[in-house]
Amino acid sequence: MDAVAHPSPRGPRIVLFLEYDGARFSGSQVQRAGIRTVQGELETALEALTGQQLRVRMASRTDAGAHARKQVASFEPVSVVPLETYESALNHHLPNDVTVAEAVCVEGLDVNRDAVSRSYRYTILNRCNPSALLRDRVALVREPLNHLAMANA
């Protein structure tokens, strides 16, 4: 996902590019207490790092079980933590199924409104037998696919 900052009265924000394996998440955004989400884990890690409760904004939602290669999240920093510290420190506090790939400081970015694109990838394994390696990453369709109908759609 690419993001472009527009002039805004908001101050600086830390923008995080996340990767996660969504197999054990109930989606990316906080829903209710006791439900494990990517945003919840990130907010917990930020509190461990800064000692303060910070609200994270996610650029888009993902459903339960969905994975992400470059999910964008942001928050307004309230403590003085060097930018280069966010990646390693947050990765230290995050569970191993979520990683901060990159952290940048941007002035006035709204990760929802200022995103210029979003892309999603769905993978179909079209064969009779499931895959031991890809079982959580693909949809298994055992019947032959109608490639012409798919192309027309």
Side-chain angles (χ1 to χ4, degrees):
M1 176 176 301
D2 300 315
V4 177
H6 298 287
S8 166
R10 294 181 297 266
R13 293 196 177 177
I14 303 299
V15 175
L16 305 173
F17 296 94
L18 308 173
E19 296 176 353
Y20 54 85
D21 178 333
R24 288 176 283 171
F25 286 105
S26 295
S28 60
Q29 295 185 328
V30 168
Q31 299 169 35
R32 63 183 187 273
I35 303 295
R36 185 171 188 249
T37 64
V38 176
Q39 180 183 1
E41 294 289 353
L42 190 54
E43 289 176 355
T44 298
L46 277 166
E47 185 173 0
L49 173 61
T50 66
Q52 299 175 346
Q53 290 185 337
L54 300 173
R55 179 55 76 178
V56 171
R57 291 181 53 107
M58 306 290 283
S60 63
R61 301 178 70 94
T62 56
D63 293 331
H67 314 296
R69 287 189 181 162
K70 200 170 185 182
Q71 169 70 284
V72 181
S74 71
F75 64 94
E76 295 179 19
V78 292
S79 60
V80 181
V81 174
L83 180 62
E84 58 274 4
T85 302
Y86 280 109
E87 291 173 29
S88 60
L90 286 174
N91 285 329
H92 172 77
H93 291 290
L94 284 166
N96 64 6
D97 50 2
V98 182
T99 8
V100 174
E102 184 180 1
V104 296
C105 185
V106 179
E107 191 74 30
L109 175 73
D110 182 312
V111 294
N112 294 112
R113 293 188 191 107
D114 297 334
V116 295
S117 68
R118 290 178 172 88
S119 62
Y120 303 89
R121 179 179 180 178
Y122 301 90
T123 306
I124 296 171
L125 178 62
N126 187 216
R127 67 182 197 193
C128 293
N129 299 310
S131 169
L133 299 176
L134 301 174
R135 68 183 186 282
D136 294 331
R137 304 262 188 282
V138 299
L140 176 64
V141 177
R142 290 184 164 99
E143 304 81 31
L145 297 174
N146 183 333
H147 294 278
L148 181 60
M150 292 169 59
N152 289 334

